[in-house]
């Protein structure tokens, strides 16, 4: 059985190998001569300064509760760069008093009631993969205590409606188990974020997650048929419908609410037949603006590719090992019903019209298994899955490795890209660092792309959290100033709050605060996320 890392991404057994680290170190040293790449190890758990629990679960909930040190520490943070580095230097700052693991929805109700009656902050916890401070109990002493509500035991597929292609699924199930449960029915949710192995359905719903696919079925919102949510004011159960015009959608209230309005316990999800027909190609360009134009043309052609991921020259070189002056477009189509070669050929023709080249040719397959991607596409996909582990390894070597993801309209992308580069480079100079900025499109729409910027910079050990915070502030300011979103699919959490407040219309903010007040009058659910916590006397309602 794999061992989860308490301080970093994923499983201990899957961390970078010695040879992988040596390769990473060699590449970074070549790009950033003079960078201090000394390897630092995390401190032993028993050397961390962790306060004793302030609260104790009542006897009726005692068997659900854990005060184990590693358990508490592992639930004190997400998986952002700043989380990993703080753990590496032993700066574990906000640790829940207890971790509670409900077995049933009745247990969730009991925990919500107990926390509400005793002024205890309650933070819903799925897979713990938040990269925006969404599960960190930054509650200080304003509450009597804090509980991390781990939903891992609510992990079953309860019903499958093959006729309507829908499944009723508990919120705590992780991606691999969800897909394994649907496979015997010939079905798939078709939602594969980079965190797929460790993240949960409930987490995807609460953060309005985006999956791997570039178009159509990618946002978890569009796959949601019905939600069941436990709130302090009662249980909300929406009706199963393919669509409805009956007032504002009740599900949309909870999708993206990040645990501040209630605890999602289960959902009816729209599922798909498993893809059988696939086609893919890696297209190389000599000019990046032309590659962007080709990608936009595909997005507006009504072809709806499953993958249309444009890697700029830096991203193509670093993560696909492919030198290309204009970047690489990783392109793919799939269907459960019909061959997709015609759509693939049309997209390829668009690319060649813009000067694109397909040196490895087009791969066309018919199989229930994932097809092998050609050349650079396969290399990039393998690197994509290893990126979080490599990020951790480089973080332990004083490197600053993190990302920004956003969305903008096509007419603003060029301005946005230049603004992000300028902001990052100015921040690099401010902290006395050298760095690189990469960009890839994770999703595309007819009216705009979702750019995903990567930051690679040399840092100073013991200061990389503060150095990253300076870079993040500069780039986030550029995003909002250029009219882009502060986040496309990583949620708001606590780390994006100040920029989200500026993006959000004030009338909507008033409505959100009112909904919070009505559904969670004691203000116990994930305080500080999306809106300010309820005003309170420390330790009392």
């Amino acid at each position: 059985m794999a061992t989860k890392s308490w301080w970093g991404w994923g499983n201990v057994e899957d961390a970078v190998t010695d040879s992988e680290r040596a390769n990473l170190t060699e590449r970074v040293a070549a790009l950033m001569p003079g960078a201090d790449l000394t390897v630092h190890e995390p401190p032993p758990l028993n050397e961390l300064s962790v306060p004793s629990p302030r609260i104790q679960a009542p006897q009726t909930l005692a068997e659900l509760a854990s005060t184990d040190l590693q358990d508490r520490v592992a639930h004190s943070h997400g998986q952002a760069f700043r989380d990993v580095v703080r753990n590496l230097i032993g700066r574990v700052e906000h640790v829940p008093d207890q971790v509670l693991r409900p077995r049933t929805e009745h247990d969730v109700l009991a925990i919500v009631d107990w926390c509400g009656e005793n002024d205890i902050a309650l933070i819903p916890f799925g897979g713990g993969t938040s990269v925006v401070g969404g599960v960190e109990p930054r509650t200080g002493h304003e509450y009597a205590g804090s509980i991390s509500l781990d939903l891992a035991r609510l992990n079953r597929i309860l019903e499958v409606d093959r006729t309507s292609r829908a499944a009723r699924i508990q919120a705590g199930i992780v991606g691999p188990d969800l897909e394994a449960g649907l496979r015997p029915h010939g079905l798939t949710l078709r939602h594969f974020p980079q965190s797929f192995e460790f993240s949960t359905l409930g987490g995807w719903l609460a953060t309005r997650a985006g999956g791997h696919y570039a178009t159509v079925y990618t946002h978890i919102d569009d796959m949601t048929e019905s939600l069941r949510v436990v709130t302090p004011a009662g249980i909300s159960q929406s009706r199963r419908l393919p669509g409805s015009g009956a007032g504002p959608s009740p599900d949309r209230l909870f999708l993206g609410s990040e645990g501040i309005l209630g605890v999602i316990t289960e959902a009816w999800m729209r599922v798909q037949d498993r893809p059988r027909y696939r086609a893919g190609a890696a297209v190389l360009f000599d000019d990046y603006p032309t590659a962007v134009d080709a990608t936009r043309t595909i997005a507006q052609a009504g072809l709806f590719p499953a993958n249309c991921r444009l890697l700029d020259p830096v991203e193509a070189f670093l993560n696909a090992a492919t030198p290309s002056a204009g970047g690489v477009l990783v392109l793919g189509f799939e269907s459960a019903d019909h061959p997709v070669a015609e759509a693939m050929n049309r997209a390829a023709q668009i690319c060649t019209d813009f000067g694109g080249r397909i040196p490895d040719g087009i791969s066309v397959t018919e199989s229930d298994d994932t097809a092998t991607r050609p050349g650079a596409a396969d290399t990039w996909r393998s690197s994509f899955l290893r990126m979080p582990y490599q990020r951790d390894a480089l973080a332990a070597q004083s490197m600053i490795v993190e990302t920004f993801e956003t969305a903008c309209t096509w007419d603003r992308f060029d301005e946005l890209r230049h603004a992000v580069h300028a902001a990052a480079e100015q921040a690099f100079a401010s902290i006395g660092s050298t760095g690189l900025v990469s960009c890839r499109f994770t999703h595309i729409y007819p009216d705009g792309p979702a750019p995903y910027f990567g930051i690679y910079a040399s840092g100073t050990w013991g200061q990389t959290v503060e150095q990253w915070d300076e870079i993040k502030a500069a780039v986030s300011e550029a995003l909002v100033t250029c009219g882009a979103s502060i986040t496309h699919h990583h949620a708001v959490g606590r780390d994006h709050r100040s920029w989200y407040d500026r993006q959000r219309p004030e009338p909507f903010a008033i409505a959100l605060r009112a909904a919070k007040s009505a559904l969670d009058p004691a203000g116990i659910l994930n305080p500080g996320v999306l809106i300010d916590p309820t005003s309170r006397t420390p330790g009392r309602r």
Side-chain angles (χ1 to χ4, degrees):
M1 184 176 178
T3 306
K4 287 290 292 292
S5 171
W6 70 264
W7 65 270
W9 182 264
N11 297 321
V12 172
E13 295 81 0
D14 295 325
V16 297
T17 63
D18 290 342
S19 61
E20 192 176 2
R21 183 186 287 278
N23 181 262
L24 280 171
T25 302
E26 182 180 353
R27 288 160 62 191
V28 171
L31 290 168
M32 300 177 188
D36 177 11
L37 298 176
T38 304
V39 178
H40 301 269
E41 299 293 340
L45 268 169
N46 58 9
E47 292 184 7
L48 298 177
S49 178
V50 178
S52 299
R54 295 171 290 168
I55 54 174
Q56 183 176 351
Q59 190 60 39
T60 53
L61 300 175
E63 62 180 326
L64 309 178
S66 167
T67 56
D68 174 78
L69 175 63
Q70 180 163 337
D71 209 7
R72 291 175 64 207
V73 170
H75 285 75
S76 70
H77 59 82
Q79 293 294 334
F81 170 81
R82 70 189 317 274
D83 296 321
V84 169
V85 174
R86 285 182 299 162
N87 292 338
L88 279 167
I89 61 178
R91 209 165 90 191
V92 179
E93 299 167 305
H94 307 106
V95 180
D97 294 283
Q98 291 191 332
V99 178
L100 266 65
R101 292 182 171 86
R103 298 160 300 190
T104 65
E105 186 177 86
H106 178 77
D107 290 340
V108 176
L109 279 164
I111 294 168
V112 168
D113 287 346
W114 170 58
C115 290
E117 292 166 2
N118 293 276
D119 195 33
I120 298 169
L122 184 63
I123 294 90
F125 189 98
T129 58
S130 170
V131 292
V132 293
V135 296
E136 186 176 346
R138 299 181 201 167
T139 56
H141 296 286
E142 295 184 357
Y143 293 80
S146 65
I147 294 293
S148 181
L149 183 70
D150 189 322
L151 298 170
R153 290 176 175 173
L154 299 178
N155 61 357
R156 297 168 51 218
I157 296 177
L158 302 174
E159 295 182 62
V160 174
D161 175 356
R162 190 67 179 81
T163 302
S164 307
R165 283 202 322 203
R168 178 177 159 232
I169 309 170
Q170 290 184 309
I173 195 168
V174 293
D177 292 343
L178 189 158
E179 287 296 320
L182 292 175
R183 180 181 281 272
H185 301 277
L187 297 170
T188 173
L189 182 60
R190 202 176 176 272
H191 187 77
F192 301 103
Q194 190 176 36
S195 61
F196 170 77
E197 184 178 359
F198 305 105
S199 55
T200 65
L201 174 63
W204 302 341
L205 295 165
T207 60
R208 290 182 68 194
H212 176 74
Y213 293 100
T215 63
V216 190
Y217 296 110
T218 187
H219 283 283
I220 203 69
D221 318 34
D222 301 322
M223 305 175 194
T224 304
E225 189 178 62
S226 164
L227 288 181
R228 187 171 174 88
V229 187
V230 172
T231 81
I235 294 177
S236 174
Q237 171 70 68
S238 60
R239 184 170 295 187
R240 284 188 64 200
L241 294 168
S244 174
S249 165
D251 293 338
R252 293 280 171 169
L253 178 65
F254 296 105
L255 288 164
S257 63
E258 301 189 35
I260 73 164
L261 302 179
V263 181
I264 299 170
T265 55
E266 62 182 62
W268 275 96
M269 303 300 298
R270 300 182 177 102
V271 293
Q272 309 296 318
D273 292 323
R274 296 185 64 81
R276 181 170 185 83
Y277 302 95
R278 294 181 176 86
V283 187
L284 277 60
F285 290 88
D286 295 324
D287 177 71
Y288 183 69
T290 304
V292 173
D293 287 342
T295 306
R296 174 178 54 81
T297 302
I298 292 171
Q300 295 174 344
L303 296 171
F304 304 118
N307 200 358
C308 193
R309 200 170 292 247
L310 178 62
L311 319 179
D312 77 355
V314 175
E315 182 79 14
F317 179 72
L318 288 178
N319 292 313
T322 305
S324 177
V328 176
L329 178 61
V330 180
L331 194 58
F333 290 82
E334 66 180 34
S335 172
D337 176 72
H338 57 272
V340 292
E342 183 177 347
M344 179 71 238
N345 290 336
R346 174 61 192 133
Q349 183 61 55
I350 291 171
C351 291
T352 56
D353 288 346
F354 282 88
R357 295 172 286 108
I358 309 177
D360 297 312
I362 295 173
S363 169
V364 179
T365 59
E366 180 181 347
S367 170
D368 186 45
D369 296 320
T370 301
T372 299
R373 280 78 170 172
D378 190 53
T379 302
W380 186 86
R381 181 177 183 274
S382 299
S383 176
F384 174 75
L385 296 175
R386 293 295 293 163
M387 283 178 189
Y389 291 105
Q390 294 172 351
R391 185 275 313 265
D392 287 4
L394 291 173
Q397 293 180 261
S398 305
M399 286 293 295
I400 300 169
V401 183
E402 190 56 296
T403 58
F404 294 88
E405 42 80 42
T406 184
C408 65
T409 51
W410 288 110
D411 63 309
R412 292 184 173 183
F413 171 66
D414 188 58
E415 176 193 359
L416 174 69
R417 180 169 177 261
H418 282 94
V420 167
H421 276 257
E425 288 163 7
Q426 185 174 351
F428 295 158
S430 175
I431 65 174
S433 171
T434 56
L436 296 171
V437 181
S438 70
C439 180
R440 65 181 185 266
F441 292 165
T442 59
H443 306 77
I444 58 165
Y445 306 89
D447 52 342
Y452 197 104
F453 294 98
I455 299 290
Y456 306 86
S458 58
T460 303
W461 184 250
Q463 299 177 35
T464 51
V465 172
E466 291 74 19
Q467 290 174 328
W468 162 247
D469 286 345
E470 186 168 340
I471 297 169
K472 181 177 180 64
V475 175
S476 295
E477 189 65 28
L479 296 180
V480 173
T481 300
C482 289
S485 174
I486 190 58
T487 179
H488 173 262
H489 57 265
H490 279 173
V492 174
R494 294 168 176 83
D495 296 346
H496 285 158
R497 264 297 310 280
S498 60
W499 297 284
Y500 170 69
D501 286 356
R502 291 162 56 188
Q503 176 178 331
R504 175 187 60 197
E506 184 55 29
F508 178 77
I510 294 170
L512 185 58
R513 294 185 197 107
K516 172 74 168 176
S517 178
L519 294 175
D520 179 23
I524 60 166
L525 290 173
N526 217 3
V529 171
L530 295 179
I531 57 176
D532 290 335
T534 305
S535 298
R536 60 207 305 110
T537 302
R540 298 181 61 83
R541 284 204 298 269

